Amino acid sequence: MSVSVSIPSTSRRDTDLEPLLDSRYRKGDVLITTVGEDTAPSNRTSLRKKRYSINSVKCFGVDLTPDNIAVAMVYFVQGVLGLSRLAVNFYLKDDLHLDPAETAIISGVSALPWLVKPLYGFISDSIPLFGYRRRSYLVLSGLLGAFSWSLMATIVDSKYGVAFCILLGSLSVAFSDVVVDSMVVERARGESQSMSGSLQSLCWGSSAFGGIVSSYFSGSLVGAYGVRFVFGLTASLPLITSAVAVLVKEQPVFGRAKGQNILLEGSGFIESSKNSITQLWDTVKLPNVFFPTLFIFLWQATPHSESAMFYFTTNKLGFSPEFLGRVKLVTSVASLLGVGLYNGFLKSVPLKKIFLVTTIIGSALGMTQVLLVTGLNRKLGISDEWFAIGDSLIITVLGQASFMPVLVLAAKICPEGMEATLFATLMSISNGGSVLGGLMGAGLTQLFGVTKDSFNNLAFLIILCNLSSLLPLPLLGLLPDDTSDVDSKESSDIEMKSN
């Protein structure tokens, strides 16, 4: 996510302050006569400073203006929506009695809206609703998310209904993500790298805080009240996105004529989209963009066995929803540690070296799941619960640290004038690789005969998936050579959100 927001000018605050100052001095005619003209400007300045210090509440070094609060709250909602993840998994497993392969396919389908993120940008920019390009779509996204989870909490009782509702919920989050990123990009121009980093911290902190808040309760609420209750509670969260839309400072946009109809707007959207797609394709075809993009896609498009492991830990090891919520809490904190590891020690390391080292170490650490599947951890004196927590902690830290170079690489290859659109496209391609990897993992799960009750070949599935992550390494030569510094423009364009 691009998370650089410029700090609004204080000129409007000064203008609003003038009547207050004038009325004060009009009340104190004796005071003005006594202190003279030189003191009045001093009093005026001190009052302005006092007013500014009251209004400029900071978080991560960023002024909490209404715009910044709205951006932070949208990212907070994206993090706290993780409340429903465990509930969805248990609903698919226990209520609908689906196999791991079917669950993996539904998870892949739910990610499809993230593959066409630039389309949402075109829509938001070209077709303002009720005169607004940002506010209206934030309201609409929140309502769509609330509607989808309300259906999950009430009438949905089939795998096709679940897939449809999760798809709508994912579309809601993806659209609001693009809209808020557009707001951020508009405010990012001209900001320093330091300010960009502060704003990235604000947005990352908001999302991470939401994820941490939801992590523990995601399991305990499922165990205490059931999945339908969690779905109903989740339905209220997107409404926060709709509510904070009123904080967005945006000038209304009206049509060329009072009676302009939606067909004219639609034709303008089609024409604008054609031009944007043509320009985008011409840019993607450039060798210095195409080959790194190909590497990002292939690096993400390796199979994984997450769905099979979820079934193993719950059906075979008997992990409860509450315990899995604790594991999720650990991984949320570990994700932040991974970001800190990258920012503190790895951001100056060449990208090729980071990809090489983290991929090899990640593949080796991923093999530790074989110990859990085969029960060797108990022979080493480590319980299943503690092994699962430690394993998740280490793998998540490394995984987050290894994903950060993808964001940096995507920002580095964006040419001037196409930063926002091309970056969104690259993130969509990266998400497409993840979806393909999930679908291939589902196919391998089916091929190895791993079901909700049979885990005989799960160890072989884990080994194959981890070894496959090494396949893109011979293509490291497709990446551009690194420079010692990443300028502020590239840093401000880095989208820092993982799903």
Side-chain angles (χ1 to χ4, degrees):
M1 69 183 83
S2 299
V3 286
S4 303
V5 183
S6 62
I7 304 303
S9 172
T10 59
S11 60
R12 196 177 74 159
R13 293 177 185 170
D14 294 342
T15 304
D16 294 339
L17 197 55
E18 291 296 336
L20 175 63
L21 293 172
D22 291 345
S23 64
R24 173 167 179 160
Y25 288 125
R26 278 197 295 271
K27 289 179 180 179
D29 290 337
V30 177
L31 176 62
I32 295 177
T33 304
T34 303
V35 299
E37 295 179 358
D38 292 338
T39 309
S42 176
N43 290 338
R44 183 188 299 263
T45 301
S46 63
L47 284 172
R48 287 182 180 178
K49 288 181 178 179
K50 184 177 181 181
R51 174 72 176 271
Y52 181 79
S53 64
I54 292 175
N55 285 334
S56 58
V57 179
K58 293 180 179 290
C59 182
F60 293 102
V62 179
D63 286 334
L64 293 184
T65 61
D67 270 341
N68 291 344
I69 291 175
V71 170
M73 288 303 296
V74 172
Y75 288 130
F76 170 79
V77 170
Q78 293 181 11
V80 81
L81 281 174
L83 181 71
S84 62
R85 286 192 189 128
L86 276 179
V88 169
N89 288 335
F90 276 100
Y91 182 70
L92 296 176
K93 180 177 75 73
D94 295 334
D95 292 63
L96 299 184
H97 308 291
L98 301 185
D99 284 329
E102 294 177 296
T103 300
I105 291 174
I106 291 179
S107 298
V109 169
S110 68
L112 291 179
W114 291 90
L115 306 188
V116 289
K117 288 179 64 177
L119 176 62
Y120 312 142
F122 295 154
I123 294 174
S124 176
D125 289 337
S126 304
I127 308 179
L129 295 179
F130 305 105
Y132 292 98
R133 303 183 189 276
R134 310 299 181 221
R135 285 184 181 178
S136 54
Y137 284 103
L138 285 179
V139 172
L140 186 63
S141 296
L143 294 177
L144 180 62
F147 174 70
S148 66
W149 288 110
S150 296
L151 291 179
M152 287 284 292
T154 53
I155 64 175
V156 171
D157 58 359
S158 69
K159 60 183 179 182
Y160 300 107
V162 170
F164 176 73
C165 289
I166 295 179
L167 187 69
L168 286 184
S170 183
L171 174 61
S172 164
V173 177
F175 210 124
S176 65
D177 180 66
V178 170
V179 171
V180 78
D181 281 350
S182 299
M183 294 166 50
V184 166
V185 169
E186 290 169 358
R187 293 159 176 79
R189 298 184 181 94
E191 290 296 337
S192 66
Q193 181 173 352
S194 176
M195 181 56 65
S196 299
S198 297
L199 290 158
Q200 289 175 352
S201 299
L202 174 65
C203 295
W204 253 106
S206 301
S207 179
F209 179 69
I212 291 173
V213 166
S214 67
S215 293
Y216 180 81
F217 295 104
S218 63
S220 58
L221 289 176
V222 169
Y225 301 103
V227 295
R228 295 282 189 180
F229 174 84
V230 175
F231 294 153
L233 187 60
T234 305
S236 65
L237 300 177
L239 297 178
I240 299 176
T241 299
S242 299
V244 299
V246 299
L247 299 177
V248 176
K249 181 182 177 182
E250 180 183 9
Q251 295 296 326
V253 178
F254 298 102
R256 292 186 296 268
K258 186 174 181 180
Q260 186 176 32
N261 58 39
I262 192 65
L263 293 178
L264 294 178
E265 291 285 354
S267 63
F269 163 70
I270 294 174
E271 187 64 27
S272 174
S273 298
K274 286 182 179 179
N275 294 335
S276 298
I277 291 173
T278 300
Q279 184 181 9
L280 182 63
W281 176 241
D282 291 340
T283 304
V284 171
K285 288 192 300 183
L286 297 175
N288 62 331
V289 176
F290 177 78
F291 290 115
T293 301
L294 178 62
F295 176 82
I296 290 176
F297 176 81
L298 295 177
W299 191 75
Q300 292 286 78
T302 54
H304 56 77
S305 55
E306 292 178 5
S307 295
M309 280 301 298
F310 172 77
Y311 277 74
F312 175 78
T313 55
T314 53
N315 288 356
K316 185 70 173 180
L317 301 183
F319 287 176
S320 66
E322 184 176 1
F323 175 76
L324 290 178
R326 294 175 184 175
V327 174
K328 191 170 181 294
L329 175 62
V330 170
T331 57
S332 297
V333 176
S335 181
L336 284 180
L337 294 178
V339 176
L341 174 65
Y342 176 81
N343 287 332
F345 303 99
L346 301 178
K347 62 183 178 182
S348 60
V349 178
L351 293 178
K352 294 180 181 179
K353 186 174 182 179
I354 295 178
F355 278 118
L356 177 63
V357 174
T358 57
T359 300
I360 293 175
I361 295 178
S363 178
L365 289 177
M367 296 293 185
T368 58
Q369 291 184 330
V370 175
L371 301 179
L372 187 64
V373 171
T374 57
L376 291 178
N377 60 290
R378 291 190 293 273
K379 295 181 180 180
L380 297 175
I382 306 174
S383 67
D384 293 336
E385 289 79 5
W386 280 110
F387 188 89
I389 290 176
D391 188 60
S392 299
L393 174 65
I394 297 173
I395 291 178
T396 302
V397 170
L398 186 67
Q400 185 65 49
S402 64
F403 183 69
M404 297 298 291
V406 175
L407 307 177
V408 175
L409 175 61
K412 285 175 67 70
I413 64 177
C414 290
E416 186 175 358
M418 287 288 292
E419 298 92 344
T421 302
L422 183 57
F423 195 87
T425 302
L426 293 177
M427 289 300 96
S428 296
I429 293 173
S430 175
N431 292 332
S434 298
V435 171
L436 179 59
L439 295 177
M440 287 193 297
L444 289 176
T445 301
Q446 188 75 25
L447 181 64
F448 278 88
V450 177
T451 65
K452 58 185 178 182
D453 301 314
S454 177
F455 305 100
N456 295 331
N457 294 324
L458 179 56
F460 298 106
L461 174 64
I462 293 172
I463 293 173
L464 180 60
C465 289
N466 279 281
L467 290 178
S468 68
S469 65
L470 302 176
L471 294 178
L473 292 183
L475 303 177
L476 283 174
L478 299 178
L479 301 185
D481 293 330
D482 296 284
T483 56
S484 58
D485 297 318
V486 179
D487 61 37
S488 60
K489 187 175 185 62
E490 289 167 346
S491 297
S492 67
D493 284 334
I494 296 178
E495 178 178 1
M496 299 177 61
K497 186 196 303 284
S498 56
N499 294 298

